[in-house]
Amino acid sequence: MFAVTVTSDCSLEWTEVDPPTPGTNDVLIRVAASALNRADVLQRKGLYPPPAGASPVLGLECAGEIVAVGAAVSTRRVGERVCALLDGGGYAEYVCVNEALTLPVPAGMSTTVAAALPEVAATVWSNLVMVGQVQPGTTILVQGGASGIGTTAIQAAAALGCRVFATAGTEAKTKVCVELGAEDAWNYRDEDLPLRVLEATGGRGCDLVLDNMGPSNLDRTVHLLARKGRIVIIGSQGGRQGAFNVGPFMAKQATIHATSLRQRGRTEKAEIVRATQAAFWPLIESGKLQPVVDSQFLMSDALAAHSYLESGVHIGKVLLTQEPSVAADSLQGSHPLSPARQALTV
C-alpha cells in the first residue's frame, strides 16, 4: 500500500510501505480520508513522538470502509462505513485499529466529512463534559474558536445549553464563531480581552476556559475566570513552558487541568469514544452539530496541507483524501459555513 512517510529532513513523501495486518480485535479500514491535527505537524518535526507501539505514519483520525476484521471482532462488519480515533497511521491507504475506537459514519454524512469527526469530537466531549463538567447555564470561553476543535466546541457547548464566548485571530474568524453559536467573540490579540469578557458576563467571568495556548497565557487567562472557575489546557500553541503568578488562582480558587487524548490508554479512549457517540451522534444526525471543513488536499500533497495548516488561515478542519474531492456530495453533512462547501457554490 501507499502511505505518507516522514523523511530525514522533516518533509513528507507518498511512498509504498507494508500494509498492516489486523489483530484479533482489530478492523482493517480502507481509508477514504484523514484529517490534519497540529500534533501531526509536531510529529513531522520530531517534536511529538508517537506512543510506544503506534504506527510511525502520521494521522490521528480517519474514515473509510472496513475491508477485514479480526477473529474476535463482534461490533463491526466488513463493508461498514466507519470513522476512527487512531494512535497514528491515518495518512495511508489502509489502517488497522481496535474495534472499540471506531464509530459509525453518522446518517446523512459523507465518508469524507466523517474523517473530521473522531479526534475533535472525542477531544471536545472529554474536555467539556468529563473534565470541564459543563452543564446547562455554564459560561464557557473557547480559545481558538475557528479551529477544528473550536468550531466543534462552540456548537457542542451551545447545544448543551451553555453560554458560549470565543476568541479567534481575525475579524472574519470571530464572525464565524458567532454564526456557529457563540454569544460574542473577540480577537485574542486584543489587550482588553479580560475587560471584554467581564463586561459580557456582568463582571462575573467564565466558569470554564478551553485553553489552546498553554502556560504562557495563564496570567492573562485567570482574569477571565469566575470564582472557582476552571481552565482546561488542550494545547500549547503559546509554548510548553512559562512562569505564572499563582496568587490570582488561589484568590479565585481556580483549577487548572491539562489533558492529552493521544497519550491515554486504549481502555480510557474506548470509554471516551462510547460516550462521544452516545452524546454527539444524535446532535450530528439532527443537524445541531456539523463539522466545519475548510479545505481538502490529496494525501500525496500532505506537505502542502501541513504548510497551509501552519499558516493559520484555515477555519475548521483540513482534510486529506485519496481521490480529488471537489463534488458537492463529498461535503454532505458538513456545516453550511464550511469554506470548502461555500467554494463549491461560488
Side-chain angles (χ1 to χ4, degrees), residues 128-129 132-142 153-165 181-183 207-208 230:
L128 281 187
V129 179
Q133 301 175 359
V134 301
Q135 53 188 322
T138 299
T139 301
I140 175 174
L141 177 72
V142 178
I154 290 170
Q155 295 178 75
L160 293 170
C162 298
R163 189 180 183 193
V164 188
F165 299 96
E183 184 175 323
D207 301 304
L208 175 68
R230 305 172 297 283

mmCIF file of all heavy atoms in Angstrom, residues 128-129 132-142 153-165 181-183 207-208 230:
data_model
loop_
_atom_site.group_PDB
_atom_site.id
_atom_site.type_symbol
_atom_site.label_atom_id
_atom_site.label_comp_id
_atom_site.label_asym_id
_atom_site.label_seq_id
_atom_site.Cartn_x
_atom_site.Cartn_y
_atom_site.Cartn_z
ATOM 1 N N LEU A 128 -14.926 19.107 27.637
ATOM 2 C CA LEU A 128 -16.055 19.916 28.070
ATOM 3 C C LEU A 128 -16.820 19.256 29.207
ATOM 4 O O LEU A 128 -17.149 19.898 30.204
ATOM 5 C CB LEU A 128 -17.029 20.167 26.908
ATOM 6 C CG LEU A 128 -16.698 21.222 25.871
ATOM 7 C CD1 LEU A 128 -17.879 21.400 24.929
ATOM 8 C CD2 LEU A 128 -16.346 22.548 26.522
ATOM 9 N N VAL A 129 -17.101 17.977 29.051
ATOM 10 C CA VAL A 129 -18.013 17.302 29.974
ATOM 11 C C VAL A 129 -17.281 16.455 31.011
ATOM 12 O O VAL A 129 -17.483 16.610 32.219
ATOM 13 C CB VAL A 129 -19.022 16.436 29.192
ATOM 14 C CG1 VAL A 129 -19.959 15.712 30.150
ATOM 15 C CG2 VAL A 129 -19.823 17.306 28.225
ATOM 16 N N GLY A 132 -14.303 19.230 32.146
ATOM 17 C CA GLY A 132 -14.808 20.574 32.405
ATOM 18 C C GLY A 132 -16.120 20.635 33.144
ATOM 19 O O GLY A 132 -16.508 21.692 33.639
ATOM 20 N N GLN A 133 -16.866 19.515 33.178
ATOM 21 C CA GLN A 133 -18.104 19.413 33.958
ATOM 22 C C GLN A 133 -19.135 20.468 33.561
ATOM 23 O O GLN A 133 -19.849 21.003 34.411
ATOM 24 C CB GLN A 133 -17.796 19.509 35.459
ATOM 25 C CG GLN A 133 -16.849 18.451 35.955
ATOM 26 C CD GLN A 133 -16.449 18.638 37.415
ATOM 27 O OE1 GLN A 133 -16.868 19.577 38.073
ATOM 28 N NE2 GLN A 133 -15.628 17.735 37.926
ATOM 29 N N VAL A 134 -19.230 20.759 32.260
ATOM 30 C CA VAL A 134 -20.226 21.731 31.836
ATOM 31 C C VAL A 134 -21.625 21.153 31.977
ATOM 32 O O VAL A 134 -21.831 19.946 31.932
ATOM 33 C CB VAL A 134 -19.996 22.187 30.379
ATOM 34 C CG1 VAL A 134 -18.635 22.795 30.210
ATOM 35 C CG2 VAL A 134 -20.226 21.048 29.400
ATOM 36 N N GLN A 135 -22.570 22.032 32.158
ATOM 37 C CA GLN A 135 -23.982 21.690 32.226
ATOM 38 C C GLN A 135 -24.757 22.911 31.748
ATOM 39 O O GLN A 135 -24.171 23.978 31.534
ATOM 40 C CB GLN A 135 -24.363 21.316 33.652
ATOM 41 C CG GLN A 135 -23.991 22.355 34.699
ATOM 42 C CD GLN A 135 -24.207 21.837 36.108
ATOM 43 O OE1 GLN A 135 -25.161 21.124 36.378
ATOM 44 N NE2 GLN A 135 -23.304 22.185 37.003
ATOM 45 N N PRO A 136 -26.061 22.786 31.539
ATOM 46 C CA PRO A 136 -26.820 23.957 31.098
ATOM 47 C C PRO A 136 -26.589 25.151 32.012
ATOM 48 O O PRO A 136 -26.637 25.030 33.233
ATOM 49 C CB PRO A 136 -28.268 23.463 31.164
ATOM 50 C CG PRO A 136 -28.165 21.987 30.922
ATOM 51 C CD PRO A 136 -26.898 21.572 31.610
ATOM 52 N N GLY A 137 -26.275 26.287 31.398
ATOM 53 C CA GLY A 137 -26.019 27.505 32.162
ATOM 54 C C GLY A 137 -24.560 27.797 32.417
ATOM 55 O O GLY A 137 -24.214 28.906 32.841
ATOM 56 N N THR A 138 -23.674 26.835 32.182
ATOM 57 C CA THR A 138 -22.239 27.077 32.337
ATOM 58 C C THR A 138 -21.781 28.126 31.330
ATOM 59 O O THR A 138 -22.149 28.087 30.155
ATOM 60 C CB THR A 138 -21.440 25.776 32.116
ATOM 61 O OG1 THR A 138 -21.819 24.802 33.081
ATOM 62 C CG2 THR A 138 -19.936 26.031 32.214
ATOM 63 N N THR A 139 -20.970 29.076 31.795
ATOM 64 C CA THR A 139 -20.390 30.084 30.901
ATOM 65 C C THR A 139 -18.998 29.625 30.499
ATOM 66 O O THR A 139 -18.145 29.378 31.352
ATOM 67 C CB THR A 139 -20.308 31.455 31.593
ATOM 68 O OG1 THR A 139 -21.628 31.864 31.980
ATOM 69 C CG2 THR A 139 -19.731 32.496 30.648
ATOM 70 N N ILE A 140 -18.776 29.511 29.194
ATOM 71 C CA ILE A 140 -17.528 28.952 28.688
ATOM 72 C C ILE A 140 -16.908 29.878 27.659
ATOM 73 O O ILE A 140 -17.606 30.502 26.865
ATOM 74 C CB ILE A 140 -17.773 27.549 28.071
ATOM 75 C CG1 ILE A 140 -16.489 27.003 27.417
ATOM 76 C CG2 ILE A 140 -18.917 27.554 27.094
ATOM 77 C CD1 ILE A 140 -16.623 25.583 26.914
ATOM 78 N N LEU A 141 -15.571 29.980 27.700
ATOM 79 C CA LEU A 141 -14.816 30.688 26.672
ATOM 80 C C LEU A 141 -13.991 29.662 25.902
ATOM 81 O O LEU A 141 -13.206 28.913 26.489
ATOM 82 C CB LEU A 141 -13.869 31.724 27.291
ATOM 83 C CG LEU A 141 -12.990 32.469 26.274
ATOM 84 C CD1 LEU A 141 -13.825 33.455 25.456
ATOM 85 C CD2 LEU A 141 -11.837 33.199 26.961
ATOM 86 N N VAL A 142 -14.179 29.618 24.596
ATOM 87 C CA VAL A 142 -13.430 28.717 23.719
ATOM 88 C C VAL A 142 -12.336 29.524 23.041
ATOM 89 O O VAL A 142 -12.610 30.400 22.211
ATOM 90 C CB VAL A 142 -14.344 28.070 22.665
ATOM 91 C CG1 VAL A 142 -13.528 27.168 21.739
ATOM 92 C CG2 VAL A 142 -15.462 27.281 23.337
ATOM 93 N N ALA A 153 -16.415 22.747 19.470
ATOM 94 C CA ALA A 153 -16.695 23.057 20.868
ATOM 95 C C ALA A 153 -17.793 24.111 21.000
ATOM 96 O O ALA A 153 -18.655 24.018 21.889
ATOM 97 C CB ALA A 153 -15.429 23.518 21.572
ATOM 98 N N ILE A 154 -17.771 25.124 20.141
ATOM 99 C CA ILE A 154 -18.806 26.168 20.199
ATOM 100 C C ILE A 154 -20.178 25.553 19.955
ATOM 101 O O ILE A 154 -21.136 25.787 20.712
ATOM 102 C CB ILE A 154 -18.515 27.268 19.165
ATOM 103 C CG1 ILE A 154 -17.282 28.081 19.583
ATOM 104 C CG2 ILE A 154 -19.729 28.195 19.015
ATOM 105 C CD1 ILE A 154 -16.791 29.032 18.507
ATOM 106 N N GLN A 155 -20.292 24.755 18.897
ATOM 107 C CA GLN A 155 -21.585 24.140 18.583
ATOM 108 C C GLN A 155 -22.041 23.198 19.691
ATOM 109 O O GLN A 155 -23.211 23.199 20.082
ATOM 110 C CB GLN A 155 -21.485 23.361 17.274
ATOM 111 C CG GLN A 155 -21.227 24.208 16.045
ATOM 112 C CD GLN A 155 -21.105 23.343 14.810
ATOM 113 O OE1 GLN A 155 -22.100 22.839 14.287
ATOM 114 N NE2 GLN A 155 -19.884 23.150 14.344
ATOM 115 N N ALA A 156 -21.103 22.394 20.205
ATOM 116 C CA ALA A 156 -21.461 21.422 21.238
ATOM 117 C C ALA A 156 -21.893 22.106 22.524
ATOM 118 O O ALA A 156 -22.908 21.739 23.136
ATOM 119 C CB ALA A 156 -20.278 20.492 21.501
ATOM 120 N N ALA A 157 -21.137 23.107 22.957
ATOM 121 C CA ALA A 157 -21.469 23.802 24.198
ATOM 122 C C ALA A 157 -22.812 24.512 24.083
ATOM 123 O O ALA A 157 -23.623 24.501 25.021
ATOM 124 C CB ALA A 157 -20.364 24.789 24.552
ATOM 125 N N ALA A 158 -23.069 25.128 22.930
ATOM 126 C CA ALA A 158 -24.363 25.782 22.723
ATOM 127 C C ALA A 158 -25.495 24.764 22.759
ATOM 128 O O ALA A 158 -26.551 25.001 23.360
ATOM 129 C CB ALA A 158 -24.361 26.534 21.401
ATOM 130 N N ALA A 159 -25.280 23.592 22.120
ATOM 131 C CA ALA A 159 -26.307 22.551 22.117
ATOM 132 C C ALA A 159 -26.558 21.989 23.508
ATOM 133 O O ALA A 159 -27.663 21.528 23.813
ATOM 134 C CB ALA A 159 -25.896 21.421 21.164
ATOM 135 N N LEU A 160 -25.532 22.041 24.369
ATOM 136 C CA LEU A 160 -25.668 21.555 25.743
ATOM 137 C C LEU A 160 -26.261 22.604 26.673
ATOM 138 O O LEU A 160 -26.395 22.362 27.869
ATOM 139 C CB LEU A 160 -24.303 21.101 26.269
ATOM 140 C CG LEU A 160 -23.698 19.866 25.593
ATOM 141 C CD1 LEU A 160 -22.255 19.662 26.035
ATOM 142 C CD2 LEU A 160 -24.534 18.622 25.897
ATOM 143 N N GLY A 161 -26.610 23.769 26.140
ATOM 144 C CA GLY A 161 -27.252 24.797 26.946
ATOM 145 C C GLY A 161 -26.307 25.733 27.660
ATOM 146 O O GLY A 161 -26.713 26.442 28.595
ATOM 147 N N CYS A 162 -25.046 25.786 27.220
ATOM 148 C CA CYS A 162 -24.067 26.677 27.837
ATOM 149 C C CYS A 162 -24.163 28.071 27.231
ATOM 150 O O CYS A 162 -24.679 28.274 26.132
ATOM 151 C CB CYS A 162 -22.650 26.144 27.626
ATOM 152 S SG CYS A 162 -22.337 24.537 28.357
ATOM 153 N N ARG A 163 -23.640 29.028 27.966
ATOM 154 C CA ARG A 163 -23.450 30.377 27.446
ATOM 155 C C ARG A 163 -22.028 30.410 26.898
ATOM 156 O O ARG A 163 -21.059 30.219 27.646
ATOM 157 C CB ARG A 163 -23.639 31.401 28.552
ATOM 158 C CG ARG A 163 -23.673 32.830 28.063
ATOM 159 C CD ARG A 163 -23.865 33.813 29.206
ATOM 160 N NE ARG A 163 -23.973 35.180 28.700
ATOM 161 C CZ ARG A 163 -23.896 36.253 29.467
ATOM 162 N NH1 ARG A 163 -23.714 36.135 30.781
ATOM 163 N NH2 ARG A 163 -24.001 37.457 28.917
ATOM 164 N N VAL A 164 -21.868 30.650 25.593
ATOM 165 C CA VAL A 164 -20.588 30.435 24.918
ATOM 166 C C VAL A 164 -20.013 31.755 24.403
ATOM 167 O O VAL A 164 -20.711 32.547 23.763
ATOM 168 C CB VAL A 164 -20.742 29.455 23.738
ATOM 169 C CG1 VAL A 164 -19.367 29.093 23.174
ATOM 170 C CG2 VAL A 164 -21.495 28.204 24.159
ATOM 171 N N PHE A 165 -18.728 31.960 24.678
ATOM 172 C CA PHE A 165 -17.949 33.041 24.094
ATOM 173 C C PHE A 165 -16.721 32.412 23.445
ATOM 174 O O PHE A 165 -16.381 31.253 23.721
ATOM 175 C CB PHE A 165 -17.541 34.061 25.162
ATOM 176 C CG PHE A 165 -18.712 34.728 25.838
ATOM 177 C CD1 PHE A 165 -19.186 34.247 27.051
ATOM 178 C CD2 PHE A 165 -19.333 35.815 25.256
ATOM 179 C CE1 PHE A 165 -20.271 34.853 27.674
ATOM 180 C CE2 PHE A 165 -20.416 36.434 25.867
ATOM 181 C CZ PHE A 165 -20.888 35.943 27.086
ATOM 182 N N GLY A 181 -22.697 29.893 17.014
ATOM 183 C CA GLY A 181 -23.437 29.801 18.261
ATOM 184 C C GLY A 181 -22.854 30.547 19.434
ATOM 185 O O GLY A 181 -23.450 30.548 20.522
ATOM 186 N N ALA A 182 -21.682 31.178 19.264
ATOM 187 C CA ALA A 182 -21.122 31.970 20.359
ATOM 188 C C ALA A 182 -21.933 33.248 20.529
ATOM 189 O O ALA A 182 -22.353 33.870 19.552
ATOM 190 C CB ALA A 182 -19.660 32.311 20.082
ATOM 191 N N GLU A 183 -22.138 33.643 21.786
ATOM 192 C CA GLU A 183 -22.851 34.891 22.058
ATOM 193 C C GLU A 183 -22.043 36.100 21.597
ATOM 194 O O GLU A 183 -22.587 37.076 21.105
ATOM 195 C CB GLU A 183 -23.136 34.975 23.558
ATOM 196 C CG GLU A 183 -23.954 36.172 23.983
ATOM 197 C CD GLU A 183 -24.293 36.128 25.459
ATOM 198 O OE1 GLU A 183 -24.546 35.023 25.986
ATOM 199 O OE2 GLU A 183 -24.300 37.204 26.091
ATOM 200 N N ASP A 207 -16.970 30.322 33.740
ATOM 201 C CA ASP A 207 -16.804 29.125 34.572
ATOM 202 C C ASP A 207 -15.713 28.216 34.028
ATOM 203 O O ASP A 207 -15.038 27.519 34.787
ATOM 204 C CB ASP A 207 -18.120 28.336 34.625
ATOM 205 C CG ASP A 207 -19.266 29.148 35.190
ATOM 206 O OD1 ASP A 207 -19.126 29.645 36.320
ATOM 207 O OD2 ASP A 207 -20.289 29.293 34.492
ATOM 208 N N LEU A 208 -15.557 28.217 32.714
ATOM 209 C CA LEU A 208 -14.608 27.313 32.071
ATOM 210 C C LEU A 208 -13.958 28.010 30.886
ATOM 211 O O LEU A 208 -14.637 28.656 30.087
ATOM 212 C CB LEU A 208 -15.327 26.047 31.584
ATOM 213 C CG LEU A 208 -14.487 25.045 30.785
ATOM 214 C CD1 LEU A 208 -13.446 24.384 31.674
ATOM 215 C CD2 LEU A 208 -15.371 23.988 30.132
ATOM 216 N N ARG A 230 -12.549 27.126 35.992
ATOM 217 C CA ARG A 230 -11.668 26.035 35.579
ATOM 218 C C ARG A 230 -11.020 26.372 34.229
ATOM 219 O O ARG A 230 -11.697 26.865 33.317
ATOM 220 C CB ARG A 230 -12.463 24.727 35.458
ATOM 221 C CG ARG A 230 -13.212 24.386 36.726
ATOM 222 C CD ARG A 230 -14.144 23.205 36.571
ATOM 223 N NE ARG A 230 -15.233 23.384 35.627
ATOM 224 C CZ ARG A 230 -16.331 24.088 35.855
ATOM 225 N NH1 ARG A 230 -16.473 24.740 37.002
ATOM 226 N NH2 ARG A 230 -17.295 24.158 34.960
#
